[in-house]
Amino acid sequence: MLGLQRRASAGGLSQQTLIIAIVCAAVGGLVLLAILFRTIRSCRSRRNAAPLPPIQPLAHQREHQLAQFEASLQPHRYDPSFLAAPHPPYSPQLGSPSARGSKTSLLGSYSSPHTSYREGSEELSNLTPPEPESPLPVPHSFLGAPTPPSSSSSTHLDDNPTTSYTNTPTTSSAPSSFSKHSKSLPKLSRDDQSRPHHHRPLSVASSLSRISSLPHGPHSQVQAIMPAPLAPGIPPTPSRQSLYEPGTPGDRMSVVDRWVSTGQESTIYSPVLQESARPPRAPRRVSSNPQNTMTTGPQFNHRQYPSMPDVGLQRTPPVPRMPSVYGQGGGKTHLTLLSAPLPIMAASAVHQPPNPSILNVFEDSSILVRSLADFVVKAQKEAVDKKGRFTIALSGGSLPKTLNGLIGHQGVKWDKWHVFYVDERVVPLDHPDSNHKSCNDVLFSKVSIPPSQIHTISIEFLDDLEELCDNYEEQLIKEFAQKDSARFPVFDLILLGMGPDGHTASLFPGHELLQEADRWVAYIEDSPKPPPKRITLTYPVINHASRVAFVATGEGKQDILKGVLDQPELGLPASKVKPSYPGQLYWFVDNAAAAKVDYPRTPFKL
Ligand SMILES: O=C(O)[C@H](O)[C@@H](O)[C@H](O)[C@H](O)COP(=O)(O)O
């Protein structure tokens, strides 16, 4: 520095220039030092540097590999063990764990045991597609909770027994796609799994639809498809909670139970109450052949079908008319039907056989009458506690006399009663043959039931059986469709008689009305039991009730009662009354009627 200053002063350099030169020199020195330092540091760090990541394949190569991988997985076998196996740690070679994992987990539910395509364990190109050994199983979420590994039961989801499912419980590491589906559905019992399907013709306007399913039960998760008049027009809506406790006879899905036949396509028909063109309808099914009540096939009254050639017994009855329904506004509203496929539901939800009949035998008819009154009041109480009203259907014949135990009974709440008739003779309401007249004389005229809550036939239609039936169905709709039963008439109690030929309601042996599955109310014009013209509830309604009770007394019923209870294979009309689960059928009979019956007796209890 001093040298610089001497030279500068000797050369005549200004002071400033000198200072500038010094500063520049200093800065340059600093820069050099910094460069030197960085060089040294980088040399050091290079010595410690991690290896460079491998060279990534180009994007299109990765896509190609991924495509190959996916192709290699089709078709695959379900191997739940895959779900149980730990997944190796993520490796950058195979993409991010989340994307890969979810994809793997979905594919993994179908992977062959031979294909281990877990993240990072295999190069995609090394995977070899397995031989397909069996069709893909239905995910267990459709089958209910998986059976324990010890059982090797295979669940027959449909008529084809080859459809099977390996029941292995998913593990905690199970991919979310499975876990979010694994609802705690009821397990399939073994007999449920092997139970064959029951094919049941549709009940809603059969001209438009088919359904194969088990009979509807009050608890069942299936909707009893209603004949057109009673299927109020709402598309399948999520069911509200049932109004009843599960397991009680009154229990029933309150809004829409759905018919589902496991493993088979089924559809739900929800007629829409709306103004629409009235679809063409074949006339209702009609009368039997009174001379031969045990014919093998349907009988036709050719007066009804003059255009149909008389080909004897074996002719399929025409599709019954779809009744009209009056909308809320009183205008004539006709039903059109919507159909919507239903999801497959747990098989156990529909595979419940009807409860066995309960046979109560009483010393004599007076004890029977008292017990029957207590039984009716119990059914009433349960219904009123749950929904504030009690719906009951009564038969004619000798049944009305057995109801006089209700007169003066403390438990009866007449204002909650809504009465319909199981069948009715097509006569004026004051005619001696009228079932309403019988019930009114014996009971209703002596108690405080509101007359508007007794639903009689509309006498203005006595000369038009079609309209008479339509009108009665419409009354059923008004009572049931908007309330707890929503889609079908669910009587709390139906009281039936049984004739000496095994008929019940106005359903007579050999009559094609026994096959009626589309209507809730049908008519007959030549009843073997006079008077000839009647309307009647059909089996779909009777067998939807929460409780059904036959009342049969006297020696005259001995033989037929044995036939109905001990020989159901005879297929007598009374034998076909089987309320679907959990509906319950009861018999109130006296000793005289039960003298020849082997069917086990149950001591009466409420
Ligand atoms: O209208 C009717 O005739 C009845 O509804 C009918 O179904 C009756 O219940 C049986 O015919 C048994 O009648 P009895 O009990 O008088 O034999």
Side-chain angles (χ1 to χ4, degrees):
M1 286 294 283
L2 287 179
L4 272 178
Q5 281 173 353
R6 281 196 202 100
R7 276 203 296 275
S9 60
L13 288 178
S14 69
Q15 185 75 15
Q16 291 85 352
T17 310
L18 186 56
I19 292 168
I20 289 168
I22 292 170
V23 167
C24 289
V27 167
L30 289 175
V31 168
L32 284 174
L33 281 174
I35 290 170
L36 185 60
F37 176 71
R38 283 173 59 90
T39 307
I40 292 168
R41 200 178 65 172
S42 66
C43 288
R44 285 195 187 141
S45 63
R46 196 167 298 136
R47 267 202 300 276
N48 307 332
L52 287 177
I55 295 172
Q56 297 294 339
L58 296 175
H60 71 270
Q61 287 171 339
R62 287 169 56 81
E63 281 166 10
H64 178 63
Q65 287 170 352
L66 196 54
Q68 279 180 337
F69 161 68
E70 287 178 342
S72 71
L73 293 173
Q74 309 288 348
H76 3 265
R77 274 186 320 110
Y78 172 71
D79 168 23
S81 61
F82 164 80
L83 302 178
H87 284 227
Y90 160 71
S91 151
Q93 285 86 344
L94 292 171
S96 67
S98 57
R100 190 84 192 86
S102 57
K103 197 169 186 60
T104 302
S105 62
L106 282 178
L107 296 171
S109 60
Y110 304 117
S111 69
S112 151
H114 311 300
T115 305
S116 58
Y117 52 84
R118 300 178 192 104
E119 296 86 342
S121 63
E122 301 273 344
E123 280 306 316
L124 294 178
S125 54
N126 294 346
L127 298 177
T128 52
E131 289 305 314
E133 288 171 15
S134 65
L136 292 181
V138 174
H140 72 79
S141 59
F142 285 100
L143 297 173
T147 48
S150 56
S151 78
S152 58
S153 63
S154 65
T155 302
H156 296 305
L157 288 178
D158 53 25
D159 294 330
N160 167 10
T162 58
T163 304
S164 63
Y165 166 69
T166 312
N167 290 326
T168 305
T170 52
T171 62
S172 56
S173 65
S176 60
S177 59
F178 253 107
S179 53
K180 72 173 175 268
H181 286 304
S182 54
K183 295 193 234 20
S184 56
L185 290 171
K187 280 188 181 172
L188 298 180
S189 66
R190 187 171 298 281
D191 65 318
D192 276 343
Q193 294 166 9
S194 57
R195 187 181 301 281
H197 282 296
H198 296 262
H199 286 266
R200 179 182 184 279
L202 153 101
S203 63
V204 171
S206 60
S207 55
L208 294 180
S209 56
R210 292 288 313 151
I211 186 166
S212 60
S213 177
L214 289 174
H216 168 71
H219 291 296
S220 70
Q221 299 301 314
V222 292
Q223 175 182 359
I225 302 294
M226 295 170 46
L230 292 179
I234 41 173
T237 53
S239 302
R240 286 183 285 114
Q241 285 307 312
S242 168
L243 297 176
Y244 302 103
E245 271 81 44
T248 56
D251 170 32
R252 176 180 298 285
M253 291 295 287
S254 59
V255 180
V256 176
D257 295 335
R258 288 178 166 76
W259 283 116
V260 172
S261 61
T262 310
Q264 290 191 13
E265 180 68 47
S266 56
T267 52
I268 186 167
Y269 297 86
S270 54
V272 177
L273 283 174
Q274 64 188 14
E275 285 299 334
S276 62
R278 179 178 191 146
R281 302 190 297 185
R284 287 171 180 274
R285 295 176 179 161
V286 286
S287 57
S288 67
N289 167 1
Q291 286 70 36
N292 171 2
T293 57
M294 293 305 287
T295 51
T296 53
Q299 293 299 306
F300 281 93
N301 173 332
H302 297 289
R303 289 193 304 277
Q304 294 297 324
Y305 304 96
S307 60
M308 293 178 77
D310 178 4
V311 292
L313 299 182
Q314 302 307 322
R315 187 169 39 229
T316 308
V319 170
R321 247 164 47 84
M322 192 168 70
S324 62
V325 175
Y326 291 85
Q328 300 307 328
K332 202 163 183 68
T333 302
H334 306 300
L335 292 170
T336 52
L337 292 174
L338 298 176
S339 66
L342 284 176
I344 295 176
M345 289 171 62
S348 59
V350 295
H351 284 193
Q352 296 281 4
N355 288 319
S357 303
I358 294 174
L359 174 61
N360 297 313
V361 182
F362 301 89
E363 282 297 311
D364 59 41
S365 57
S366 61
I367 301 175
L368 182 150
V369 165
R370 279 201 305 277
S371 304
L372 180 62
D374 293 340
F375 171 81
V376 172
V377 168
K378 179 188 178 192
Q380 172 218 272
K381 181 178 186 328
E382 185 175 295
V384 170
D385 288 351
K386 303 294 181 200
K387 52 184 182 150
R389 66 194 217 287
F390 175 54
T391 53
I392 183 170
L394 304 177
S395 293
S398 60
L399 181 89
K401 293 199 302 295
T402 63
L403 298 178
N404 60 32
L406 292 166
I407 299 170
H409 194 296
Q410 293 306 310
V412 181
K413 296 180 177 177
W414 292 111
D415 62 319
K416 303 296 185 188
W417 280 46
H418 293 266
V419 178
F420 288 82
Y421 290 100
V422 172
D423 62 340
E424 178 60 287
R425 293 82 180 275
V426 183
V427 294
L429 296 178
D430 57 0
H431 188 285
D433 283 344
S434 164
N435 287 339
H436 168 66
K437 182 179 186 323
S438 298
C439 292
N440 197 49
D441 292 350
V442 170
L443 180 62
F444 297 138
S445 59
K446 301 170 180 169
V447 297
S448 59
I449 186 170
S452 65
Q453 291 173 206
I454 303 173
H455 301 272
T456 62
I457 58 173
S458 302
I459 54 172
E460 65 267 33
F461 299 123
L462 290 182
D463 58 356
D464 184 337
L465 293 179
E466 294 276 351
E467 287 299 335
L468 192 65
C469 290
D470 282 357
N471 177 270
Y472 211 60
E473 285 172 348
E474 178 199 326
Q475 292 189 57
L476 285 165
I477 287 176
K478 286 177 181 168
E479 176 55 38
F480 288 97
Q482 283 81 13
K483 300 183 178 74
D484 61 321
S485 309
R487 291 293 195 85
F488 40 78
V490 181
F491 280 97
D492 297 308
L493 176 60
I494 294 181
L495 295 180
L496 297 174
M498 179 187 64
D501 60 352
H503 83 261
T504 188
S506 287
L507 302 168
F508 292 91
H511 191 286
E512 51 100 23
L513 273 191
L514 300 185
Q515 317 308 323
E516 182 60 61
D518 301 333
R519 300 276 183 173
W520 301 102
V521 181
Y523 67 80
I524 180 171
E525 290 187 284
D526 43 10
S527 162
K529 176 181 180 182
K533 287 188 178 182
R534 297 148 166 259
I535 68 168
T536 181
L537 296 184
T538 58
Y539 284 123
V541 179
I542 295 170
N543 287 331
H544 275 120
S546 299
R547 288 182 174 87
V548 180
F550 277 99
V551 181
T553 58
E555 288 180 4
K557 298 291 170 72
Q558 274 183 11
D559 295 331
I560 196 61
L561 189 59
K562 178 172 184 58
V564 168
L565 288 176
D566 294 339
Q567 299 166 280
E569 66 279 4
L570 296 177
L572 292 166
S575 299
K576 295 176 181 292
V577 173
K578 300 173 189 163
S580 44
Y581 184 83
Q584 182 60 58
L585 176 59
Y586 303 83
W587 286 84
F588 283 73
V589 303
D590 61 7
N591 278 341
K596 297 179 179 177
V597 172
D598 298 327
Y599 189 88
R601 303 173 180 205
T602 304
F604 176 70
K605 65 177 172 42
L606 286 177

